[in-house]
Amino acid sequence: MKKTVNLAFFYAIMAMVGGVFYREFTKYSGFEGRTALGFVHTHLFMLGMLMFLAVAFAIKLFSVDKSKRYKAFMWSYNAGLVLTVIMLLVRGWFQVTQTALTRSLNGMISGLAGMGHIFLGIGIILFFLALKERTE
């Protein structure tokens, strides 16, 4: 459980760093308007910190970490979250610097972000299956 709480804390710190980066980078660049960078902060807080705090409670209450699906959940979910956040940073960087993206680069960024969301979804399903296994 300690590793899970530490992971939640790590994502909380990264969320704050992401928020500061968004604010300072857009201010420094003179950018006004919406950008994908604005979503890094909330994705890391909600999908990172809050999710792993909930997982820590599930470990405490149901020993969900003893499930055979738990390890697969951790790998899939963390990989999905990291990939999603990286693609938000990449897209946001291009938006703030107002760099024109080629059609293929734009598609690649969208595709990788989509894969990140798919891994997150698989991780959520694995978590619920592990939770169901431990509560039966």
Side-chain angles (χ1 to χ4, degrees), residues 23-102:
R23 186 188 70 225
E24 294 302 319
F25 184 58
T26 54
K27 186 169 50 172
Y28 173 78
S29 300
F31 183 84
E32 293 181 13
R34 289 180 59 107
T35 173
L37 289 177
F39 296 101
V40 170
H41 175 72
T42 52
H43 272 69
L44 286 169
F45 262 135
M46 299 303 292
L47 297 176
M49 182 194 75
L50 284 179
M51 177 63 173
F52 285 105
L53 286 176
V55 170
F57 283 117
I59 290 170
K60 182 72 172 170
L61 295 173
F62 307 111
S63 301
V64 74
D65 58 332
K66 304 290 188 253
S67 168
K68 59 186 175 186
R69 293 180 177 95
Y70 183 77
K71 195 172 190 177
F73 149 70
M74 288 295 281
W75 279 102
S76 176
Y77 192 86
N78 280 294
L81 183 53
V82 168
L83 184 57
T84 298
V85 167
I86 288 171
M87 290 301 104
L88 283 171
L89 287 166
V90 169
R91 182 167 303 282
W93 181 278
F94 284 123
Q95 289 170 334
V96 171
T97 60
Q98 298 179 352
T99 304
L101 296 176
T102 63

Side-chain angles (χ1 to χ4, degrees), residues 43 47 80-81 83-84 88 112-123:
H43 272 69
L47 297 176
L81 183 53
L83 184 57
T84 298
L88 283 171
L112 288 171
M115 285 177 53
H117 281 83
I118 289 168
F119 287 140
L120 281 167
I122 291 168

Side-chain angles (χ1 to χ4, degrees), residues 1-8 74:
M1 185 166 80
K2 187 174 184 176
K3 287 181 182 181
T4 307
V5 172
N6 286 339
L7 191 56
M74 288 295 281

